[in-house]
Amino acid sequence: SGTLYIYENDQGQILSTCIVNRLRRRCAHVCCLSTLATNPTFARQGHGSKFLGELLDRLRRDPQIKRVELYAEADNSVALSFYQKFGFQ
């Protein structure tokens, strides 16, 4: 479960998507990003970076969210490098 965010271009084509899962109870200040994906047709054109940047800005504006987490495969150097550009460790 979670909220699906969709990033589209002006023609209504889906460029990228991400599911944001908000934790509950004592962890309600944490949300986890999962299934971040970019349409292969539009890959390597900066859409994923723009989408993630805008999504993180939106999440930061929520005063209840104090931490954003995500998980990536340790051997996926492309993904790790991408997320590090946004401050993830």
Side-chain angles (χ1 to χ4, degrees):
S1 70
T3 303
L4 175 64
Y5 288 85
I6 299 172
Y7 189 64
E8 298 177 329
N9 63 15
D10 293 337
Q11 291 77 39
Q13 297 168 302
I14 295 175
L15 305 177
S16 296
T17 60
C18 184
I19 298 172
V20 177
N21 296 292
R22 184 82 176 262
L23 301 184
R24 302 187 194 283
R25 297 184 176 170
R26 292 177 64 194
C27 295
H29 64 285
V30 178
C31 63
C32 297
L33 306 183
S34 63
T35 320
L36 176 63
T38 297
N39 182 332
T41 303
F42 301 103
R44 299 287 208 196
Q45 298 176 30
H47 300 297
S49 293
K50 187 172 180 190
F51 173 55
L52 184 57
E54 291 178 12
L55 180 58
L56 291 172
D57 287 343
R58 180 179 182 150
L59 296 173
R60 287 183 186 117
R61 287 193 301 270
D62 184 329
Q64 294 180 342
I65 296 175
K66 305 295 182 203
R67 188 169 78 208
V68 177
E69 297 179 347
L70 61 79
Y71 299 92
E73 299 291 331
D75 62 349
N76 188 342
S77 60
V78 173
L80 295 175
S81 176
F82 175 75
Y83 295 132
Q84 287 171 347
K85 291 190 303 187
F86 293 91
F88 289 98
Q89 300 177 0

